[in-house]
């Protein structure tokens, strides 16, 4: 069931929140061993939350998510409930406060069904960098679900929750959504508060919904968006009702097709599905226009300088003193080193080293400053494109889900999995991935639609029109 369907069924009294939660917990215990989508399943407390939701319903409560079970990526702080970032260094960390997004979900009456698996500190594209086991793709368990929000995407695709939250720094919502055949939306930078999201690269991180349908994406975005005094980078702008634009015609809407995204390295079946999707949009009245985003080729390089620089600074807080793991040593330095040696995985260490290097004196101007300058050029590419078009349509990923283990020994290959999503974070604009087909071996393909800053309405409207005229989102993995 979707949020929309389960809300309808609960309101009519066809099902109760207890039925729904118990069914999902049963489903989780049936498939979790295969998929490992969760770090922690909230089996006990969820049932208490359900009782409270049912009490409120009895009193005529009308909250948007009254009794609807939603999974949350395990890098989003939930008060009193373990939040690990899939890292040993936070294995036993229980946040003393609630993130703004989960506070808003709580106020809407949601049930926290569990915390989902991710690449450690959201660094990765396959959920293989988790310290607590690899998540598998429900469409083919020999393959990865994408990452870093692989647990959330797999859980939604495999019907282990009604919907989920993920976070996206360079593609971590959209890329796993594409690999798992679900809808993933990265909002405009500043649309959603980052308070309580464990920081990876603060100038890029955004929280967003991973859902079964576009409507559900709009419903969750309505709830989590808005200004937050606890996050000074959250924008003080009104939040429109994102569901109100769904169903509007897309006639005459100009969609840009960037030629740089249909180049060497793009899988032919992915290309085929995306081109057919563009034709479908055209038959719905949209007007495709060829555009150019000339600095696309630098996006991955720029990202891996800026994201690692920010990460090296953000992760300095895990030092064995303030919170998290501590391994005693013979003196302070020894304690720091032993703690970080034991607590952090290889990819996280690699990034701290890369970022520290890029920020060090002598290299700062050559790497960090240069990367910031090129980031501006990438942003200007989008500004120029959006003078001509209303949205941009691309593949979400260059290939469908790859095999587990295929790229773990080659970080550069892994980094290229986000080649089509990363520039969207660098530019700070919103992007969504929706299902647009399947390969010959039954793997989902994602279509990415990118919008102007704070124009989530446009990409949701286009996505909804496409979804209503196709059936890809209705297909279920053969688990
Ligand atoms: N795969 C990219 C990385 O490893 C993006 C991760 C993300 O969006 N959190 O940095």
């Amino acid at each position: 069931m979707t949020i929309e369907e389960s809300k309808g069924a609960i309101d009519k009294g066809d099902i109760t929140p207890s039925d729904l939660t118990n069914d999902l917990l049963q489903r989780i215990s049936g498939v979790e061993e295969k998929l490992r989508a969760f770090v922690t399943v909230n089996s006990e407390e969820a049932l208490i939350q359900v009782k409270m939701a049912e009490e409120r319903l009895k009193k005529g409560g009308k909250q948007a998510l009254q009794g609807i079970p939603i999974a949350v990526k395990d890098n989003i702080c939930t008060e009193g409930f373990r939040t690990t970032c899939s890292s040993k260094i936070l294995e036993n960390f229980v946040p003393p406060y609630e993130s703004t997004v989960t506070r808003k979900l709580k106020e809407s009456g949601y049930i926290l069904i569990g915390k989902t698996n991710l690449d450690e500190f959201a660094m990765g594209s396959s959920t293989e960098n988790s310290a607590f086991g690899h998540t598998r793709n429900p469409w083919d368990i020999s393959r990865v679900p994408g990452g870093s929000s692989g647990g959330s995407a797999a859980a939604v695709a495999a019907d282990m929750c009604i919907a989920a939250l993920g976070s996206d720094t360079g593609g971590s919502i959209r890329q796993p959504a594409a690999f798992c055949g679900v809808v993933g939306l990265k909002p405009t930078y500043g649309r959603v508060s980052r308070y309580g999201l464990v920081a990876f690269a603060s100038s890029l991180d955004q929280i967003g919904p991973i859902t079964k349908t576009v409507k559900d994406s709009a419903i969750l975005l309505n709830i989590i968006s808005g200004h937050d005094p606890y996050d000074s980078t959250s924008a003080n702008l009104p939040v429109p009702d994102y569901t109100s634009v769904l169903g509007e015609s897309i006639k005459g809407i100009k969609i840009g097709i960037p030629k740089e995204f249909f180049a060497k390295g793009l899988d032919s079946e992915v290309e085929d599905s995306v081109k057919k999707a563009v034709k479908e949009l055209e038959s719905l009245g949209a007007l495709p226009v060829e555009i150019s985003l000339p600095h696309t080729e630098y996006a991955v390089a720029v990202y891996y300088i800026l994201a690692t620089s920010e990460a090296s600074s953000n992760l300095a807080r895990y030092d064995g003193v303030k919170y998290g793991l501590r391994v005693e040593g013979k003196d302070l330095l020894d304690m720091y080193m032993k703690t970080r040696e034991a607590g952090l995985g290889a990819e996280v260490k690699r990034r701290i080293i890369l970022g520290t290097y890029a920020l060090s004196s002598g290299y700062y101007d050559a790497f960090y400053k240069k990367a910031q300058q090129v980031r501006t050029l990438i942003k200007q590419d989008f500004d120029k494109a959006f003078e001509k078009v209303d949205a941009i349509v691309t593949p979400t990923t260059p290939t469908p889900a790859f095999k587990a283990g295929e790229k773990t020994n080659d970080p550069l290959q892994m980094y290229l999995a986000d080649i089509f999503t990363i520039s969207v974070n660098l530019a700070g604009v919103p992007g969504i991935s929706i299902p647009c087909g399947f390969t010959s071996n039954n793997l989902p393909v994602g279509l990415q639609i990118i919008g102007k800053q704070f124009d989530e309405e446009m990409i949701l409207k286009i996505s909804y029109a496409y979804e209503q005229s196709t059936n890809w989102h209705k297909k279920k993995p053969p688990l």
Side-chain angles (χ1 to χ4, degrees), residues 73 121-125 147-148 167-173 200 205 303-304 307 347 351 414-415 418 422 425:
K73 187 177 181 179
F121 285 102
M123 297 174 185
S125 308
S148 63
S167 71
D168 191 313
T169 305
S172 281
I173 289 175
F200 161 15
D205 300 338
Y303 173 87
Y304 278 97
E347 182 62 24
R351 297 203 185 191
M414 190 70 92
Y415 296 172
D418 295 299
I422 268 178
N425 300 73

Side-chain angles (χ1 to χ4, degrees), residues 247-312:
E248 281 179 10
S249 159
I250 61 164
K251 229 188 171 100
I253 284 178
K254 293 200 192 92
I255 50 170
I257 315 294
K259 57 171 190 265
E260 291 81 3
F261 285 59
F262 293 84
K264 213 171 81 226
L266 178 60
D267 176 273
S268 63
E269 288 188 302
V270 172
E271 177 166 7
D272 204 44
S273 291
V274 171
K275 288 200 163 144
K276 283 190 184 131
V278 171
K279 282 263 169 291
E280 182 67 34
L281 289 170
E282 207 177 343
S283 75
L284 294 168
L287 306 170
V289 182
E290 191 186 85
I291 57 162
S292 173
L293 298 168
H295 296 93
T296 299
E297 64 173 304
Y298 305 112
V300 171
V302 165
Y303 173 87
Y304 278 97
I305 290 181
L306 298 181
T308 57
S309 296
E310 293 184 30
S312 75

Side-chain angles (χ1 to χ4, degrees), residues 171 174-178 270 274 394-398 417-421 432-434 445-449:
R174 291 158 288 155
Q175 186 256 20
V270 172
V274 171
T394 77
T396 307
T397 56
D418 295 299
I419 190 158
F420 297 150
T421 47
I432 190 170
S433 179
I434 57 172
V445 178
L447 181 74
Q448 177 173 236
I449 307 177

Side-chain angles (χ1 to χ4, degrees), residues 152-398:
S152 288
V156 172
D159 286 318
M160 301 159 94
C161 57
I162 302 296
L165 290 185
S167 71
D168 191 313
T169 305
S172 281
I173 289 175
R174 291 158 288 155
Q175 186 256 20
F179 279 11
C180 293
V182 293
V183 177
L185 171 74
K186 183 205 85 78
T188 306
Y189 185 80
R191 177 78 294 186
V192 174
S193 168
R194 291 181 295 111
Y195 180 72
L197 169 67
V198 177
F200 161 15
S202 312
S203 78
L204 301 156
D205 300 338
Q206 271 292 288
I207 296 168
I210 298 183
T211 56
K212 297 175 193 177
T213 61
V214 175
K215 177 88 178 268
D216 278 9
S217 187
I219 292 172
L220 279 188
L221 190 63
N222 274 353
I223 296 170
I224 63 175
S225 293
H227 178 61
D228 177 10
Y230 291 140
D231 173 6
S232 59
T233 65
S234 69
N236 202 346
L237 292 170
V239 178
D241 174 1
Y242 292 108
T243 61
S244 71
V245 295
L246 307 182
E248 281 179 10
S249 159
I250 61 164
K251 229 188 171 100
I253 284 178
K254 293 200 192 92
I255 50 170
I257 315 294
K259 57 171 190 265
E260 291 81 3
F261 285 59
F262 293 84
K264 213 171 81 226
L266 178 60
D267 176 273
S268 63
E269 288 188 302
V270 172
E271 177 166 7
D272 204 44
S273 291
V274 171
K275 288 200 163 144
K276 283 190 184 131
V278 171
K279 282 263 169 291
E280 182 67 34
L281 289 170
E282 207 177 343
S283 75
L284 294 168
L287 306 170
V289 182
E290 191 186 85
I291 57 162
S292 173
L293 298 168
H295 296 93
T296 299
E297 64 173 304
Y298 305 112
V300 171
V302 165
Y303 173 87
Y304 278 97
I305 290 181
L306 298 181
T308 57
S309 296
E310 293 184 30
S312 75
S313 169
N314 272 327
L315 271 64
R317 73 191 69 175
Y318 307 106
D319 57 3
V321 176
K322 301 176 190 77
Y323 52 89
L325 179 77
R326 177 191 186 103
V327 180
E328 294 302 339
K330 63 180 188 304
D331 53 28
L332 183 64
L333 182 63
D334 195 42
M335 187 279 289
Y336 284 159
M337 289 174 65
K338 287 204 167 106
T339 298
R340 288 164 78 86
E341 170 57 31
L344 300 173
E347 182 62 24
V348 174
K349 286 177 186 155
R350 177 181 299 122
R351 297 203 185 191
I352 292 172
I353 293 168
L354 278 172
T356 305
Y357 181 77
L359 289 177
S360 56
S361 93
Y363 295 109
Y364 181 95
D365 284 343
F367 295 124
Y368 183 76
K369 188 171 161 206
K370 185 61 76 184
Q372 288 287 24
Q373 289 168 329
V374 182
R375 179 178 189 173
T376 301
L377 295 176
I378 290 171
K379 166 79 170 61
Q380 287 170 352
D381 282 356
F382 280 94
D383 292 344
K384 277 198 202 113
F386 283 127
E387 283 169 11
K388 284 196 281 187
V389 297
D390 304 298
I392 296 172
V393 174
T394 77
T396 307
T397 56

Side-chain angles (χ1 to χ4, degrees), residues 427-446:
V429 294
I432 190 170
S433 179
I434 57 172
C436 76
F438 287 83
T439 63
S440 48
N441 50 353
N442 206 30
L443 297 172
V445 178

Side-chain angles (χ1 to χ4, degrees), residues 26-44:
Q26 212 165 33
R27 171 72 174 166
I28 292 172
S29 59
V31 295
E32 175 61 3
E33 208 180 27
K34 270 194 200 149
L35 296 181
R36 282 185 245 155
F38 286 87
V39 175
T40 316
V41 178
N42 193 13
S43 15
E44 277 161 36

